[in-house]
Amino acid sequence: MIALLERIIEATERLEKKYADQLSKVHPKFEKSAINLLHYRAFRRFDIRDLQNGLSQLGLSRLGKSEAHLLASLNITKSVLKSFLEPRKITLRDTYLSIEQGNQLLPQNTDALLGTRSKKRPVRIMVTQPTETAQNTDLVDEMVKSGMDIARINCAHDTPEVWEKIIGNIRNANRDSSRTSKVCMDLGGPKIRTGTIYNGSNVVKYKPSKDNNGKVLNPLRISLATDFSKVPKSIQNCLQLPPDWIEHLEIGDTIKFFDARGKHRKFIVCALFENRVEVYAHKTCYLKRGMELSVYRKARMNSATIQEVRSSSDRFLALKTGDTIILEKKGAYSNNGEQKTGIVKNARILCTSEAVFDYVRIGERILFDDGKITGKIIGISPSTMDIKITYAKATGSILREDKGINFPDTDLKISGLTEVDKANLPFVAKHADVVNLSFVNRKDDVQELIEELSKLPEGNRLGIILKIETKSGFDNLTDILLTAMQVYPIGVMIARGDLAVECGWENMAMIQEEILSLCMASHIPVIWATQVLENLAKKGIPSRPEITDAAMSQRAECVMLNKGPHIVQTIKMLDHILAGMSHYQYKKSPMFPLWI
């Protein structure tokens, strides 16, 4: 046992020397933590199960809780073992980080990132804010009073105007209750999702509302846009057309066309906006991609072809094992797919990310909608992927637009910071306390965020939370943490939804354990996220397994709740569970309170 401990200590010293250059760049407050992280990584390259059993048989403390002070624990254990061979006074070697010091760093770093803890519980509660909190000040007050420590705003939803109102309401609620609930804002990141679904002939019906006598109550309003991504999702009826055609339209212009049935129809331009115009129609029309629209002005005709169609109608595919679909880039014009006699063949789905097409390979897996549907890539072109469905329900799994796509076998070298994220950063730096970086895959993603924040006057005051939600992010976690340690404070969110899909549900428990241990070794706080008490938040009653999950979440420094109609009740229950569990467990250590 002594010989193994000496080999482990030598390995920690070698790895520390190997990373000397990166260690020289870390923030002074993370200097000892970065060294301890590397020591822990070296330690985990050994199988110490026999050592653990041997220590247990001697009645000694095992090394299962040594993450925060690895080298001190190794040296103390070695000294105690030597004393069995040579009975004498135990002499302990001084280390850069004692056990007491190692145990103090994580609480200090957590306070710096997430604010001071509640008197009732050491674990903070983070709550995702619904749009409603921009107007409903009573709801915000109830959240804060019920135990919300951090308010999370997702930049993938709403607008800066809405975000500012939400933040103002949170700050006011803090003042009224003498609390200090912090504000963190999620950058959307490169989330890959399904876009428009094109199946069959892709004909979309636009129909004005009518009374019982068939009289049009209000004309139907339709947007003509240059780019769907710049049109609010609340605007469902939308046609995409070339920018040089749209920019010449004027209010009052008449746009004529023959719809998919050959019926003569017309639109009237009624409003102009940036990147789009609005038209109205008095008659039902059937539209599809590739149709021609013509505007008449001063006896001249100018025509354009519809590039995309978006509608409020619910478009979906019912997929079964063996079906084939085509995932395509925006602007790729492949043949229409078919869905008839229960078989889907070459139905087309738009992918929201164009970059993924540069990295995928034939034979790799692709997962849709949190892994509910699995496929294999069987063909690739510069703008399309042919996919064969390998798993779906026997009765057919429904795939809709705006559902997540994962590529667990693909090394996607996509930047974690999108152009939209960069545009949102100045607002985040000015108004928030913490910024959450989504889909962190490698250290370069973190470095890019640090550099972007350094350009902003208020960027250096932000805390950073790294969301680990991909296999690449987990595999590269050590380098990601060392890079993030250049700034202070930082944290890690275990985004269990995408992470479970990418790494396999059966591996999630082990991966969660490894992330908790690695962050403990780094003295970096962890946020336990995704589906915590979700049934309670959405339906008003919890499931039994999620109560156990909530109890286990006290091993992290913070727990995140998603929005739902019963969110106040959910905050209160989580507050109660975490306060009660604090008497029984701290991190991995049982506390054994008096049991009467």
Side-chain angles (χ1 to χ4, degrees):
M1 287 192 286
I2 293 169
L4 176 56
L5 287 169
E6 288 174 341
R7 290 201 302 275
I8 293 172
I9 292 170
E10 289 171 2
T12 64
E13 294 169 350
R14 287 196 301 272
L15 196 61
E16 182 181 340
K17 290 178 181 177
K18 180 180 177 181
Y19 278 85
D21 182 55
Q22 282 183 257
L23 289 174
S24 67
K25 300 175 183 177
V26 303
H27 192 282
K29 289 193 175 182
F30 276 130
E31 185 177 353
K32 293 180 178 180
S33 301
I35 295 171
N36 192 66
L37 166 62
L38 292 171
H39 289 174
Y40 179 74
R41 289 298 290 153
F43 166 70
R44 288 301 305 278
R45 291 174 181 172
F46 291 83
D47 185 343
I48 65 162
R49 285 175 291 182
D50 289 341
L51 173 63
Q52 294 283 65
N53 289 331
L55 292 172
S56 177
Q57 290 173 22
L58 290 172
L60 300 178
S61 176
R62 290 147 57 102
L63 295 168
K65 301 164 190 170
S66 61
E67 297 98 330
H69 35 72
L70 196 279
L71 192 57
S73 293
L74 293 176
N75 280 318
I76 290 172
T77 303
K78 186 179 78 168
S79 296
V80 172
L81 287 175
K82 280 188 172 182
S83 73
F84 280 95
L85 300 178
E86 304 170 24
R88 56 184 171 81
K89 183 179 178 180
I90 296 176
T91 57
L92 300 178
R93 172 186 165 191
D94 288 335
T95 59
Y96 67 96
L97 186 67
S98 69
I99 291 178
E100 183 180 5
Q101 291 169 336
N103 288 334
Q104 290 172 347
L105 284 175
L106 180 57
Q108 291 171 8
N109 295 341
T110 304
D111 286 349
L113 180 72
L114 303 175
T116 54
R117 53 166 286 182
S118 164
K119 293 180 180 179
K120 296 189 298 180
R121 50 178 165 79
V123 181
R124 282 74 169 170
I125 297 175
M126 178 185 291
V127 184
T128 303
Q129 300 299 290
T131 305
E132 181 186 357
T133 52
Q135 306 295 335
N136 190 341
T137 56
D138 290 341
L139 176 58
V140 178
D141 291 342
E142 283 296 312
M143 286 182 178
V144 171
K145 291 175 183 176
S146 298
M148 178 178 73
D149 300 292
I150 306 104
R152 170 181 174 259
I153 297 172
N154 190 347
C155 292
H157 304 292
D158 301 319
T159 63
E161 292 76 19
V162 174
W163 305 335
E164 191 166 3
K165 289 179 181 178
I166 294 173
I167 293 170
N169 290 338
I170 293 164
R171 304 294 191 206
N172 290 336
N174 283 343
R175 284 191 291 270
D176 293 343
S177 64
S178 300
R179 291 181 61 87
T180 55
S181 298
K182 289 204 170 189
V183 174
C184 75
M185 297 188 72
D186 257 36
L187 300 176
K191 178 68 174 176
I192 306 168
R193 307 187 79 86
T194 56
T196 307
I197 291 177
Y198 304 101
N199 58 318
S201 61
N202 187 39
V203 174
V204 174
K205 180 181 179 181
Y206 287 138
K207 182 181 179 181
S209 57
K210 299 180 181 180
D211 61 20
N212 293 334
N213 297 318
K215 183 180 178 179
V216 173
L217 295 172
N218 293 297
L220 180 69
R221 297 176 78 94
I222 302 170
S223 282
L224 310 184
T226 60
D227 187 345
F228 281 171
S229 65
K230 297 177 181 178
V231 178
K233 289 186 178 180
S234 58
I235 299 176
Q236 292 294 320
N237 297 326
C238 195
L239 307 176
Q240 183 171 306
L241 290 127
D244 57 350
W245 189 78
I246 286 181
E247 65 186 16
H248 291 102
L249 294 175
E250 299 175 0
I251 291 177
D253 279 346
T254 299
I255 300 171
K256 297 182 179 182
F257 59 95
F258 290 96
D259 75 356
R261 305 164 298 169
K263 298 282 188 179
H264 187 266
R265 292 290 182 260
K266 65 181 180 181
F267 296 145
I268 304 297
V269 178
C270 58
L272 304 178
F273 302 92
E274 186 178 3
N275 299 315
R276 68 183 179 91
V277 303
E278 209 164 76
V279 300
Y280 62 78
H282 284 90
K283 294 185 177 181
T284 300
C285 54
Y286 291 76
L287 300 174
K288 66 178 180 178
R289 194 181 193 182
M291 287 180 55
E292 189 175 84
L293 305 182
S294 300
V295 61
Y296 292 81
R297 190 185 303 120
K298 297 179 182 179
R300 294 183 61 189
M301 181 179 72
N302 189 11
S303 301
T305 300
I306 298 174
Q307 297 173 335
E308 308 282 2
V309 181
R310 192 165 89 184
S311 164
S312 57
S313 59
D314 186 21
R315 284 183 288 197
F316 63 87
L317 293 173
L319 297 173
K320 295 183 179 180
T321 301
D323 290 343
T324 61
I325 58 176
I326 296 173
L327 193 67
E328 67 176 32
K329 283 184 183 179
K330 177 179 151 184
Y333 289 85
S334 52
N335 294 327
N336 285 331
E338 302 173 2
Q339 183 173 14
K340 55 185 181 181
T341 63
I343 299 173
V344 177
K345 182 179 180 182
N346 297 338
R348 297 180 297 108
I349 306 176
L350 203 65
C351 180
T352 58
S353 171
E354 298 186 17
V356 299
F357 292 83
D358 297 331
Y359 302 106
V360 293
R361 299 288 181 269
I362 289 176
E364 292 178 337
R365 288 176 297 156
I366 179 170
L367 308 174
F368 297 97
D369 194 9
D370 290 337
K372 295 182 179 69
I373 301 168
T374 304
K376 183 170 72 173
I377 301 172
I378 58 175
I380 298 172
S381 77
S383 58
T384 63
M385 289 179 236
D386 297 332
I387 297 162
K388 184 174 184 179
I389 303 303
T390 57
Y391 171 77
K393 289 181 182 178
T395 55
S397 295
I398 300 299
L399 180 60
R400 288 184 165 86
E401 298 173 0
D402 200 35
K403 294 299 180 181
I405 307 176
N406 295 87
F407 296 86
D409 303 330
T410 308
D411 183 16
L412 295 174
K413 297 181 176 64
I414 300 174
S415 170
L417 207 60
T418 67
E419 292 305 313
V420 174
D421 295 335
K422 292 177 183 178
N424 287 333
L425 263 182
F427 180 97
V428 175
K430 182 178 179 180
H431 294 89
D433 303 301
V434 181
V435 59
N436 296 351
L437 180 61
S438 300
F439 297 98
V440 181
N441 288 311
R442 53 188 57 81
K443 64 180 183 180
D444 293 345
D445 298 335
V446 182
Q447 190 65 49
E448 186 179 10
L449 176 62
I450 293 172
E451 291 172 0
E452 288 295 324
L453 288 175
S454 69
K455 301 174 185 176
L456 301 173
E458 298 166 288
N460 62 353
R461 70 173 191 80
L462 276 181
I464 296 175
I465 292 175
L466 309 171
K467 294 176 68 177
I468 304 302
E469 43 198 326
T470 65
K471 186 175 183 298
S472 296
F474 172 69
D475 291 340
N476 298 320
L477 189 53
T478 299
D479 285 333
I480 286 170
L481 294 179
L482 286 172
T483 302
M485 283 177 168
Q486 295 175 59
V487 296
Y488 182 89
I490 61 173
V492 165
M493 180 182 288
I494 308 178
R496 300 183 297 172
D498 283 287
L499 194 57
V501 172
E502 289 242 342
C503 299
W505 299 96
E506 67 280 8
N507 298 318
M508 190 58 219
M510 293 179 288
I511 287 170
Q512 188 169 268
E513 190 73 18
E514 293 292 354
I515 295 176
L516 285 166
S517 295
L518 206 59
C519 289
M520 183 73 175
S522 313
H523 311 119
I524 291 174
V526 172
I527 295 89
W528 181 292
T530 311
Q531 292 185 314
V532 178
L533 295 177
E534 183 163 320
N535 273 6
L536 176 57
K538 290 185 176 180
K539 301 177 181 178
I541 186 167
S543 68
R544 290 162 182 80
E546 68 184 17
I547 293 294
T548 304
D549 177 59
M552 282 291 293
S553 70
Q554 59 76 40
R555 296 182 58 190
E557 283 63 54
C558 180
V559 184
M560 190 189 91
L561 296 173
N562 270 322
K563 54 195 173 184
H566 307 281
I567 189 59
V568 172
Q569 179 187 350
T570 307
I571 296 171
K572 290 178 180 178
M573 178 172 282
L574 182 59
D575 177 66
H576 177 79
I577 291 171
L578 293 175
M581 285 301 297
S582 67
H583 300 296
Y584 286 85
Q585 191 95 8
Y586 174 72
K587 303 292 281 184
K588 292 194 294 184
S589 302
M591 303 302 290
F592 300 118
L594 177 65
W595 186 15
I596 299 176

